[in-house]
Amino acid sequence: TPLEAHYLASVLPASQTAQELLKNFLFVQKEDGTIDGKPGLAGQRGRYLAAPMLASLAWKIYETKEDANFLKEVFPHLHKFFWAWFSPEYDEDRDGLPQWKHILQTGFEDNPLFDAWHTWSLGVDITQVHSPALEAMLYHEASCLVKMAEILERNDTLALLQEQAAKLRGSIESTWGARTGLYHYRDRETGSSLAGKVLVKQQGSGTISPKLNFEAPTRLLIEVQIKSPAAKRPEIRIHQFSTKPADEVISSGDYQWRDGGAVYTTQKVYPKLAKIVVKNLGDDDTVTVKTLDFTTEDHTLFMPLWAGVPDEGHAQIMIGRALLDSKRFNRPFGIPACPSLASRVREAESISQAVHLPWNLLICEGLLRYGFRSDAARLVVHIMTGIIQNLKQNRAFYARYHAEKGTGIGERNALSGLAPVGLFLKVLGVEILSATRVRLEGSNPFPWDVTVGYKGLRVIRGANKTEVIFANGKSVAV
């Protein structure tokens, strides 16, 4: 996936691999600009649109190679792919702010807000929600495309890209929570990011008359809990006015199936709720009607930091109050996926406390962007402690790592569990461009000297001095 490709480009710095990975995606691009999210060499396809991280990957490659011909080759494809995200299929209401179409696109398929497999997850329809992570990715893509267009003097594309970036940035900023110091998901139509609330609970078939008036139009989540696996899914009719026909009819094929029942997100929003008619529900089965809950915090909400969206003030609040708070995201072995879920649901621990290295990498890059090099170094140390612990004990990398214990979670020797060598070097302030070119910046934030070897080149990075020894024996001290 694009997220894994971005991660692998950081695992293998100064390599040709990133360029080849990008070409794999561009090779399967269709006429309408769409690119498959997981293309395989034997023609396999993920059958969903790739996450918008390909221009970001291309810019990362360009920064290493500084090859304008490479940009010239890839820019038309990446430009077309960017605008494919704003087609009516992904931006149904044509407001210039697309939605995810499938949870697999997001790179976090266990997200408890959208996942429907677990009894404790909400299973909200992902197409009805504005995601700060998606908008941040698109904003970053637009920023990278603007820089490419300026180098290539493609002035014809600049105005529209800048306009779209400004719109995305405004949308992301509208989700800022001053109290939480974090960005939040919000309803696609109403823009609200409220806490969930149970409105009605009904056992068995029948008519409910809640007679509710909402302060603002509200989207509803219908949960059906079924005792028998063979039970039918009920038909539910939702009425704003008790004397008028139903505003929405939920039939058996509309539900998202889950363990112990089914869930459905209303396609409409309701200013009032007069009547709910439930048919074909077993006497022991239950229907719960509630509002959507957008209060769960997860690691993807730091994406605006990576994309450079917040101003310095918001960035400092976000890092100090959310990221570095031990009661929230700061853990001994990295940033966990969804720490607030752990306190509420014990059985969700392997998901809530999982450290996903690709997301931690993006958070680290965000810290570096805003000048928090020592905090980025501390996060790298946390991540590496978990990786090294597993290599020593189990001789393996793991797909994810437990944020509190450091134990491996999921698949052994997964690509996304490899040690992020490139990130370590970036935090160290050493960028190997080739066997004869090195870029140094900042100072060594680690409490030890680091020696880097690459194709005969040696870089010895101390606290106050860096020595570069080239393959021909010449050396430079900085």
Side-chain angles (χ1 to χ4, degrees), residues 407-461:
T407 47
I409 299 172
E411 188 187 343
R412 277 171 68 93
N413 293 324
L415 174 78
S416 56
L418 291 171
V421 180
L423 175 64
F424 171 69
L425 292 176
K426 202 168 185 180
V427 172
L428 181 64
V430 175
E431 194 176 351
I432 309 283
L433 301 171
S434 72
T436 56
R437 292 172 70 227
V438 184
R439 185 185 289 144
L440 302 174
E441 64 175 36
S443 56
N444 180 357
F446 298 103
W448 56 75
D449 290 1
V450 178
T451 302
V452 183
Y454 179 76
K455 294 186 177 177
L457 172 77
R458 285 180 80 220
V459 180
I460 303 154
R461 184 82 148 146

Side-chain angles (χ1 to χ4, degrees), residues 7-324:
Y7 186 69
L8 187 58
S10 297
V11 168
L12 303 168
S15 80
Q16 187 67 20
T17 310
Q19 206 164 327
E20 301 300 335
L21 286 167
L22 179 65
K23 285 180 180 176
N24 278 353
F25 285 106
L26 301 184
F27 183 77
V28 301
Q29 187 169 31
K30 291 184 178 170
E31 198 55 45
D32 61 0
T34 57
I35 294 175
D36 190 81
K38 205 170 182 182
L41 292 178
Q44 313 96 316
R45 298 290 178 264
R47 300 189 188 282
Y48 51 82
L49 185 61
M53 291 190 75
L54 299 180
S56 309
L57 179 60
W59 185 252
K60 191 179 261 222
I61 295 162
Y62 173 75
E63 282 185 310
T64 305
K65 297 191 173 296
E66 295 182 349
D67 179 0
N69 287 328
F70 163 71
L71 282 191
K72 200 171 184 180
E73 181 191 343
V74 299
F75 179 81
H77 299 283
L78 297 168
H79 184 252
K80 209 171 178 185
F81 169 61
F82 173 78
W83 288 110
W85 265 100
F86 298 91
S87 67
E89 189 180 349
Y90 296 92
D91 181 16
E92 289 174 23
D93 49 9
R94 309 299 284 140
D95 63 351
L97 303 167
Q99 290 80 42
W100 293 117
K101 205 73 172 163
H102 197 287
I103 197 167
L104 289 176
Q105 287 175 303
T106 68
F108 179 35
E109 57 199 77
D110 291 322
N111 190 328
L113 179 59
F114 307 118
D115 170 55
W117 291 105
H118 301 96
T119 49
W120 40 261
S121 57
L122 285 175
V124 171
D125 181 352
I126 202 167
T127 64
Q128 302 300 328
V129 177
H130 277 308
S131 161
L134 173 58
E135 291 178 356
M137 285 178 186
L138 287 164
Y139 175 79
H140 196 269
E141 290 285 280
S143 305
C144 292
L145 288 169
V146 163
K147 287 186 274 196
M148 292 178 198
E150 286 171 346
I151 291 166
L152 299 171
E153 297 179 352
R154 287 288 307 269
N155 299 329
D156 54 317
T157 63
L158 278 173
L160 267 178
L161 284 168
Q162 286 164 338
E163 188 184 317
Q164 200 65 40
K167 179 177 273 193
L168 288 160
R169 186 175 198 154
S171 175
I172 296 164
E173 284 296 0
S174 73
T175 71
W176 172 255
R179 189 179 57 79
T180 59
L182 202 57
Y183 295 92
H184 292 278
Y185 296 100
R186 70 187 200 284
D187 188 275
R188 183 179 102 180
E189 200 166 322
T190 67
S192 65
S193 298
L194 302 173
K197 192 167 72 172
V198 174
L199 303 173
V200 176
K201 213 165 188 174
Q202 157 91 0
Q203 194 167 351
S205 297
T207 300
I208 317 158
S209 302
K211 296 194 171 116
L212 294 169
N213 286 306
F214 303 114
E215 284 180 25
T218 301
R219 198 179 300 280
L220 307 174
L221 189 70
I222 317 289
E223 281 184 359
V224 181
Q225 286 168 311
I226 295 169
K227 299 279 186 198
S228 163
K232 288 181 182 174
R233 297 182 208 182
E235 180 187 281
I236 297 175
R237 293 173 177 265
I238 304 170
H239 299 255
Q240 283 189 66
F241 303 95
S242 51
T243 55
K244 291 190 175 177
D247 294 89
E248 202 163 343
V249 179
I250 309 159
S251 53
S252 61
D254 297 330
Y255 293 96
Q256 168 78 47
W257 187 252
R258 70 191 305 174
D259 185 21
V263 65
Y264 175 82
T265 308
T266 61
Q267 302 299 294
K268 295 183 177 181
V269 294
Y270 293 88
K272 55 173 66 179
L273 196 57
K275 186 171 75 173
I276 298 168
V277 180
V278 182
K279 295 179 180 177
N280 304 326
L281 186 67
D283 293 341
D284 296 329
D285 302 334
T286 311
V287 166
T288 306
V289 180
K290 53 171 84 167
T291 58
L292 272 56
D293 187 346
F294 291 112
T295 57
T296 302
E297 297 174 351
D298 67 66
H299 56 189
T300 71
L301 299 175
F302 290 102
M303 280 299 275
L305 193 71
W306 171 75
V309 172
D311 58 27
E312 294 291 334
H314 277 182
Q316 284 191 7
I317 292 167
M318 201 175 178
I319 294 163
R321 203 185 292 169
L323 192 64
L324 301 181

